[in-house]
């Protein structure tokens, strides 16, 4: 009896060798090991007759694409965020969307912590200065920053990553305050030693504010001129969620006018393009969307995305279905 054909899968990004091996043993995969970004036309052409799409955060999977992908049954993204996928369009067509939560929580919280520390203690700014050969002597007032220990950590968005950040606060003897769409259960608040406050109080009271909320149409530029004006002039603002949460020109205005202490950014509106005003400012620590980028975590994310994809294509329930 002829065996049934293996499902066809399009992969948009270069994968680790072990992921390629596993995927190739289970499906008929079209790979992109050269990591060449696929435009809309290439995605549409590549998805003809294809049942599974393995993609990542920077791939825009919108209505134009899914409407023309007649055979598509599953979009599996190697990311926890799904704002790059038109979920409603997928749902209307019965296309399952899966993502990779949990495995990246602690790694992403680590990067948030690193950026917050870098912004508060001027780590990247002073390193650039040192490398440029400017350091001639030690002096009492060189690159003075603000303390992280015993300061107030503010967290906007208290999901898994927000909670992981809050738990780190205990090690630095910080007071932790948070705002979230809904208040956490008392036992989770106690575990995180975090106090729920209004959004206004969060902006006003935080010495170090970290954004960890998912990006949706409703919270576009949730940090704009009005919110920045509420913050302490010495405060730091760190974003490890999505660039569209911050009005970047308003942030540049605040930093240029010394109305905000410093910023730590891993994500940008329109990335990989960076607002030139942010690039020109010394008191901003910048990383290229590295939140989950440890070897183990990226490996785990790839494994999970492949598990989700293969389960769905085999007619089983994937572990992490979004729609
Ligand atoms: C995520 O998992 O959403 C990260 O931001 C990588 O895209």
């Amino acid at each position: 009896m002829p065996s049934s054909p293996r499902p066809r899968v399009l992969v948009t990004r270069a994968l680790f060798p072990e992921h390629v091996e596993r995927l190739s043993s289970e499906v008929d995969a079209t790979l992109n090991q050269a990591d060449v970004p696929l435009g809309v036309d290439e995605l549409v052409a590549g998805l003809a007759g294809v049942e599974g799409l393995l993609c990542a955060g920077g791939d825009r999977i919108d209505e134009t694409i899914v409407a023309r992908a007649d055979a598509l049954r599953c979009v599996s993204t190697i990311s926890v965020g799904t704002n790059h996928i038109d979920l409603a369009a997928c749902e209307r067509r019965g296309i399952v969307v899966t993502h990779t939560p949990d495995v990246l929580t602690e790694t992403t919280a680590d990067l948030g912590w690193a950026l917050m520390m870098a912004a508060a203690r001027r780590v990247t700014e002073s390193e650039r200065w040192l490398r440029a050969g400017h350091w001639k002597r030690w002096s009492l007032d060189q690159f003075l920053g603000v303390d992280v220990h015993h300061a107030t950590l503010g967290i906007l968005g208290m999901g898994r990553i927000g909670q992981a950040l809050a738990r780190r606060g205990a090690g630095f003897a910080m007071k932790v305050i948070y705002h979230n769409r809904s208040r956490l259960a008392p036992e989770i608040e106690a575990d995180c030693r975090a106090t729920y406050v209004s959004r206004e109080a969060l902006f006003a009271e935080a010495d170090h504010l970290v954004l960890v909320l998912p990006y949706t149409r409703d919270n576009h530029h949730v940090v704009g001129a009005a919110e920045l004006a509420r913050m302490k002039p010495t405060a730091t603002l760190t974003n490890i969620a999505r660039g569209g949460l911050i009005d970047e020109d308003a942030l540049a205005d605040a930093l240029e006018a010394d109305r905000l202490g410093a910023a730590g950014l891993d994500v940008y509106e329109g990335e990989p393009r960076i607002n030139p005003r942010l690039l020109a400012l010394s008191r901003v620590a910048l990383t290229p969307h590295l939140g989950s980028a440890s070897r183990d975590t990226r490996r785990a994310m790839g494994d999970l995305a492949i598990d989700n994809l293969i389960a769905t294509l085999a007619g089983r329930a994937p572990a992490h279905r979004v729609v």
Side-chain angles (χ1 to χ4, degrees):
M1 216 171 64
S3 58
S4 58
R6 300 191 315 162
R8 290 179 59 196
V9 166
L10 175 69
V11 184
T12 62
R13 302 302 178 101
L15 301 176
F16 293 159
E18 62 267 32
H19 293 142
V20 171
E21 199 177 314
R22 161 129 191 259
L23 206 55
S24 308
S25 72
E26 307 222 25
V27 300
D28 180 0
T30 301
L31 301 168
N32 182 13
Q33 289 303 91
D35 222 12
V36 180
L38 302 182
V40 176
D41 293 344
E42 286 144 322
L43 270 170
V44 168
L47 283 170
V50 161
E51 294 158 85
L53 175 65
L54 189 61
C55 63
D59 302 316
R60 285 225 70 73
I61 311 300
D62 58 20
E63 174 99 55
T64 340
I65 290 166
V66 293
R68 293 162 71 188
D70 290 341
L72 194 60
R73 292 198 281 128
C74 178
V75 175
S76 172
T77 181
I78 310 173
S79 63
V80 65
T82 53
N83 59 298
H84 54 296
I85 303 171
D86 187 334
L87 297 177
C90 288
E91 198 167 24
R92 277 197 296 278
R93 289 173 176 77
I95 299 168
V96 171
V97 178
T98 63
H99 68 152
T100 59
D102 301 326
V103 291
L104 47 64
T105 300
E106 298 296 334
T107 301
T108 308
D110 280 351
L111 197 271
W113 205 266
L115 274 176
M116 176 185 74
M117 295 286 297
R121 298 300 309 276
R122 306 176 68 178
V123 174
T124 56
E125 176 189 0
S126 60
E127 188 194 357
R128 280 193 301 276
W129 179 85
L130 177 151
R131 284 180 186 274
H134 296 306
W135 195 27
K136 303 295 177 226
R137 62 177 184 283
W138 182 93
S139 51
L140 201 59
D141 63 351
Q142 215 157 50
F143 285 103
L144 300 179
V146 288
D147 283 326
V148 170
H149 69 87
H150 294 91
T152 298
L153 170 63
I155 302 174
L156 184 58
M158 198 63 157
R160 289 167 279 233
I161 300 171
Q163 291 171 34
L165 276 164
R167 284 193 296 270
R168 280 160 178 71
F172 284 70
M174 295 179 90
K175 173 180 173 188
V176 181
I177 55 177
Y178 77 96
H179 184 79
N180 197 42
R181 248 178 331 177
S182 44
R183 188 170 173 173
L184 299 180
E187 59 277 14
I188 304 178
E189 282 189 352
D191 177 50
C192 296
R193 298 166 191 248
T195 305
Y196 180 82
V197 296
S198 69
R199 182 183 290 234
E200 290 68 29
L202 185 79
F203 281 98
E205 291 170 25
D207 293 310
H208 303 289
L209 179 61
V210 186
L211 308 183
V212 230
L213 64 169
Y215 178 61
T216 63
R217 202 170 294 151
D218 294 341
N219 60 27
H220 177 70
H221 288 186
V222 70
V223 181
E227 290 73 24
L228 290 162
R230 260 183 224 123
M231 293 180 71
K232 299 179 186 178
T234 49
T236 71
L237 173 66
T238 296
N239 188 7
I240 51 169
R242 286 294 180 266
L245 294 170
I246 298 183
D247 176 341
E248 291 174 347
D249 277 312
L251 174 60
D253 288 343
L255 287 163
E256 281 165 8
D258 281 333
R259 283 188 277 105
L260 187 72
L265 305 175
D266 186 46
V267 286
Y268 311 88
E269 193 167 10
E271 64 187 49
R273 193 197 70 87
I274 313 282
N275 184 320
R277 292 180 65 197
L278 294 177
L279 283 175
L281 280 161
S282 55
R283 279 176 297 125
V284 190
L286 305 167
T287 48
H289 203 144
L290 295 179
S292 58
S294 76
R295 230 178 279 283
D296 287 347
T297 294
R298 286 285 166 87
R299 197 170 286 134
M301 290 167 72
D303 286 342
L304 198 52
I306 293 172
D307 289 347
N308 286 330
L309 180 70
I310 288 175
T312 308
L313 295 181
R316 301 191 304 273
H320 299 290
R321 180 173 179 163
V322 185
V323 294

